Amino acid sequence: APPVSTHGTSLIPLAPAPDAPVWDVSNFSLVDGHLVLVGRDEEASCRSRNWTGSSISETTNLHPAGSRRDPDPAADERSTRGAGRSTESETSPTLQFSNVKGLLWKRLRERKGRGVSKAETPAVVVPNGERVPSRSGSRESLLPPPSAAELDLTGDNVIVRPVHGSIVGEKFCFQIITSEGSRSFGCTSLAERDRWIENLRRTVQPNKDNCERLELALSLWVYEARDLPPRRRLRCHLHLDGTLFARTTAKVASPDGELFWGELFQLAALPPTRALTLALCRDDQPGQPVASITIPLAELAAARQPLERWYPLSGPGGGERVPSVRVRGRYREVRVLPIVRYKELAEFITFHYRELCARLEPTIAVRHKEELAGALVHVLQSTGKAKSFLIDLGVAELDRFDDREALIFRENTLASKAIDE
């Protein structure tokens, strides 16, 4: 069978609007394929946001989804139980789960039976740009139909994907897209967000590991721009097939027209797209691009390593100086086979990683060592051998540089790359 994309075809926009509400995921719980609001009232569950628009704060702790680097046990409990977990320990686990499940459905029926909308009160905007929701909240802005009190994840074409913080104003968010609309949810950490996404995707598609699929991801460094309108506060917007997926921080161009961002964007679980558009927009007029360029994603996917170059921008004005932007990006299309197809490979790596690393170490380039070490760490983490793998590579490193202690873990070896990963 041909590989199936991680996203079905849908007419719902795949990126949330900048003014879309962000719901606090700690107030939700998974019950029989439904995401149910159980913690507080719907108005109080919508989070206030700080509209910085920067992507730097989101990428300081970047790591691939699924790796367990966050040691916070409280976040691990919050991610799957939500605010509806019971604090009583006297009853048995089975009875306790039945009681909690009954309370969730009872609360949901009571909420549906109210049907009384509250008075609308406009939100208050403070001078530093933060949006503080009103005490009663606006039913029209916070609750676009249907209500977010319950989301059915058992239907067809349900999409669960991460959302970049520059769009919704928070760092760790994900989005659920159904045939009825889309909702954005905020988490407290990157690991918590990854766990929620994984749990929700397995709820939507329980046999996910047994299906062949296509994973699409874009890594893009937006470095700098030149020949810009001087003293203008500008952002660089990233569009995929016309949909805004991320944007840089708003910065003022220097008198000579130069501007430096240096921001990394890691966009994973993308829908099938063909073109990336970089648009320079004024901060006060985001809907009117100053200049733009469209880059075919096939160009970024053809190169084995990230492609870096200056791209000239075309604008409506057509002035004497043509603005240009320097970016470095890579677009990846990974064909994932059913997990049973990787059984022999995982067994070989688990029991023969010493011989494999010893043979490949002197023959591959540095850039390949980094990619190989990352893949080995992830495979052996899933089989429970990552700790032994790092210890064995470290001991081999000590033996190899026994008489040159200054070089231990200072060269571009598989051991140093695996430790970094």
Side-chain angles (χ1 to χ4, degrees):
V4 179
S5 172
T6 54
H7 305 286
T9 57
S10 175
L11 299 178
I12 304 298
L14 289 174
D19 57 348
V22 177
W23 299 88
D24 192 346
V25 77
S26 63
N27 295 322
F28 288 80
S29 182
L30 274 174
V31 181
D32 291 344
H34 292 71
L35 192 64
V36 183
L37 176 64
V38 297
R40 296 181 294 178
D41 292 338
E42 295 174 359
E43 294 90 342
S45 298
C46 189
R47 301 157 68 106
S48 60
R49 290 164 283 170
N50 185 12
W51 292 95
T52 58
S54 173
S55 67
I56 298 178
S57 58
E58 184 175 5
T59 56
T60 51
N61 295 320
L62 278 179
H63 60 86
S67 56
R68 305 297 179 116
R69 293 192 180 183
D70 191 349
D72 184 13
D76 191 63
E77 292 182 4
R78 287 196 308 268
S79 62
T80 55
R81 299 184 184 180
R85 59 180 182 267
S86 174
T87 58
E88 300 178 359
S89 59
E90 296 83 10
T91 58
S92 63
T94 304
L95 181 59
Q96 185 178 9
F97 175 76
S98 300
N99 292 339
V100 173
K101 184 177 176 181
L103 289 175
L104 295 182
W105 285 115
K106 180 180 178 182
R107 184 172 299 180
L108 179 61
R109 287 192 298 266
E110 291 176 352
R111 183 179 287 108
K112 287 183 176 180
R114 292 175 189 170
V116 180
S117 61
K118 300 182 179 180
E120 298 183 2
T121 306
V124 180
V125 179
V126 294
N128 60 357
E130 295 186 1
R131 183 183 185 278
V132 180
S134 62
R135 182 169 300 178
S136 60
S138 173
R139 300 285 295 192
E140 182 178 359
S141 60
L142 294 184
L143 297 176
S147 173
E150 178 190 3
L151 283 179
D152 186 4
L153 304 179
T154 60
D156 296 333
N157 295 331
V158 178
I159 301 174
V160 182
R161 54 174 298 273
V163 178
H164 198 268
S166 61
I167 299 298
V168 295
E170 290 194 20
K171 293 193 295 184
F172 313 113
C173 296
F174 64 91
Q175 182 186 18
I176 299 178
I177 304 175
T178 64
S179 59
E180 298 177 343
S182 64
R183 298 291 178 272
S184 299
F185 299 87
C187 302
T188 57
S189 67
L190 189 61
E192 183 186 12
R193 185 194 71 177
D194 292 341
R195 284 192 289 271
W196 266 102
I197 291 177
E198 181 66 19
N199 292 335
L200 291 171
R201 285 178 177 172
R202 293 193 179 278
T203 301
V204 174
Q205 190 179 10
N207 61 339
K208 169 188 172 185
D209 291 336
N210 300 322
C211 299
E212 185 175 340
R213 63 188 187 274
L214 197 63
E215 295 283 354
L216 308 177
L218 173 65
S219 299
L220 189 72
W221 276 101
V222 180
Y223 287 120
E224 58 182 328
R226 62 189 180 190
D227 297 330
L228 300 176
R231 298 183 178 86
R232 291 286 181 87
R233 190 174 178 86
L234 301 173
R235 296 179 185 265
C236 184
H237 290 202
L238 280 64
H239 297 261
L240 293 175
D241 286 353
T243 303
L244 177 64
F245 271 76
R247 56 185 179 179
T248 64
T249 310
K251 292 186 177 181
V252 179
S254 62
D256 54 358
E258 296 183 355
L259 197 158
F260 181 81
W261 286 291
E263 298 182 12
L264 172 62
F265 297 89
Q266 297 275 18
L267 305 179
L270 295 175
T273 51
R274 297 181 178 180
L276 165 68
T277 300
L278 303 174
L280 289 177
C281 301
R282 293 178 55 178
D283 194 28
D284 55 348
Q285 297 178 355
Q288 301 178 4
V290 176
S292 64
I293 180 67
T294 298
I295 306 171
L297 289 177
E299 179 180 331
L300 300 180
R304 178 66 178 173
Q305 296 300 316
L307 180 64
E308 179 177 344
R309 56 173 293 188
W310 283 93
Y311 289 94
L313 306 177
S314 59
E320 298 179 357
R321 297 189 304 175
V322 177
S324 57
V325 60
R326 181 168 70 96
V327 298
R328 180 172 182 261
R330 183 184 182 187
Y331 182 69
R332 301 184 65 185
E333 297 181 353
V334 180
R335 180 176 170 228
V336 183
L337 302 177
I339 194 170
V340 68
R341 302 279 294 274
Y342 297 101
K343 181 180 179 181
E344 293 185 20
L345 176 63
E347 291 179 352
F348 175 80
I349 293 175
T350 301
F351 295 106
H352 302 284
Y353 60 79
R354 298 182 186 88
E355 298 88 341
L356 181 64
C357 294
R359 295 289 184 89
L360 294 178
E361 181 82 54
T363 59
I364 60 178
V366 174
R367 62 179 181 271
H368 297 149
K369 289 181 181 180
E370 184 174 0
E371 189 170 0
L372 174 64
L376 291 176
V377 167
H378 282 269
V379 172
L380 294 172
Q381 176 74 14
S382 65
T383 61
K385 288 290 185 178
K387 180 179 178 180
S388 301
F389 171 67
L390 293 178
I391 291 175
D392 291 338
L393 286 188
V395 172
E397 187 92 346
L398 294 174
D399 294 340
R400 185 163 52 250
F401 297 112
D402 188 22
D403 55 341
R404 296 172 294 167
E405 295 183 357
L407 297 179
I408 295 176
F409 301 124
R410 292 180 179 270
E411 288 191 342
N412 293 318
T413 60
L414 283 173
S416 61
K417 298 299 182 182
I419 292 174
D420 290 340
E421 183 66 27

